[in-house]
Amino acid sequence: MNSEVILRDVNKDDLPIFFEQQMDKTSNYMAAFTAKDPTDKIAFMSHWQKILDDDRIIKKTVLFNDQVAGHVSSFEQFGEPEVSYWIGREYWGKGVATSSLSQLLLDFVNIRPLYARAVKDNTASIRVLEKCGFKICGEDKGFSNARAEEVEEYVLKLSSKAE
């Protein structure tokens, strides 16, 4: 059995797995900024079709033990290059998020500075980002669909080696 984390291109067969993973209530709460209705499969598939059709977005499926464990991506948000990831809850605590983000940064995304965001109480995600070299550089707040309230988040930045 292969216990390493591997990134590959996202394909349509991954989407039903991503859909099931993002319906998890605990995962939604921790991510905070989620779909208005995580159970709306039509909206989910439409959103992912736009992602798949956009060549500017780097999107990779995360495999762990040859199973789809989630996805990692880089895209532009608020005029800045940003990374994001979603790891199925059954894979939490196994180093999958850190390994997949590290691989994305090493093999697919060379733009710096690069940004990420995490709700302030998502200490696990903040730790993953810090392990990958991101540093907290600011704060923001926004409405969380998953929590039905405004939440505070950290903005993190990965600078170039020269900075």
Side-chain angles (χ1 to χ4, degrees), residues 34-70:
T34 59
K36 285 182 181 168
D37 178 5
T39 66
D40 185 343
K41 193 168 190 173
I42 292 170
F44 177 88
M45 292 299 183
S46 175
H47 174 73
W48 264 97
Q49 190 59 55
K50 288 177 189 164
I51 292 169
L52 292 173
D53 290 344
D54 191 336
D55 291 336
R56 298 168 299 171
I57 299 173
I58 298 169
K59 55 262 178 200
K60 297 294 177 185
T61 294
V62 177
L63 298 176
F64 179 70
N65 289 340
D66 298 320
Q67 300 296 311
V68 174

Side-chain angles (χ1 to χ4, degrees), residues 2-163:
N2 182 1
S3 63
E4 68 181 311
V5 172
I6 297 170
L7 300 185
R8 67 158 165 75
D9 290 339
V10 174
N11 66 54
K12 288 193 180 223
D13 293 338
D14 300 331
L15 301 184
I17 298 166
F18 295 170
F19 178 73
E20 290 300 318
Q21 290 173 338
Q22 65 87 43
M23 285 200 333
D24 178 76
K25 286 185 185 337
T26 300
S27 298
N28 268 276
Y29 184 85
M30 294 314 295
F33 300 102
T34 59
K36 285 182 181 168
D37 178 5
T39 66
D40 185 343
K41 193 168 190 173
I42 292 170
F44 177 88
M45 292 299 183
S46 175
H47 174 73
W48 264 97
Q49 190 59 55
K50 288 177 189 164
I51 292 169
L52 292 173
D53 290 344
D54 191 336
D55 291 336
R56 298 168 299 171
I57 299 173
I58 298 169
K59 55 262 178 200
K60 297 294 177 185
T61 294
V62 177
L63 298 176
F64 179 70
N65 289 340
D66 298 320
Q67 300 296 311
V68 174
H71 53 86
V72 63
S73 61
S74 180
F75 51 92
E76 186 175 299
Q77 181 165 290
F78 308 120
E80 301 285 359
E82 191 163 311
V83 293
S84 182
Y85 56 89
W86 189 287
I87 303 299
R89 188 155 57 116
E90 63 270 31
Y91 300 99
W92 291 6
K94 302 177 188 304
V96 176
T98 302
S99 181
S100 59
L101 183 57
S102 292
Q103 284 183 50
L104 182 78
L105 298 173
L106 284 172
D107 298 337
F108 302 103
V109 180
N110 56 14
I111 258 178
R112 303 291 185 272
L114 188 61
Y115 295 87
R117 293 169 172 265
V119 69
K120 284 185 174 183
D121 63 3
N122 190 343
T123 55
S125 190
I126 293 164
R127 183 73 188 118
V128 165
L129 291 161
E130 289 175 337
K131 283 182 187 176
C132 291
F134 286 82
K135 302 211 179 318
I136 294 171
C137 68
E139 297 180 10
D140 200 359
K141 53 176 103 170
F143 185 79
S144 163
N145 288 321
R147 299 180 185 192
E149 65 182 3
E150 188 173 78
V151 296
E152 294 182 346
E153 66 180 337
Y154 287 121
V155 179
L156 296 95
K157 178 180 177 182
L158 178 64
S159 298
S160 66
K161 298 206 187 303
E163 286 183 50

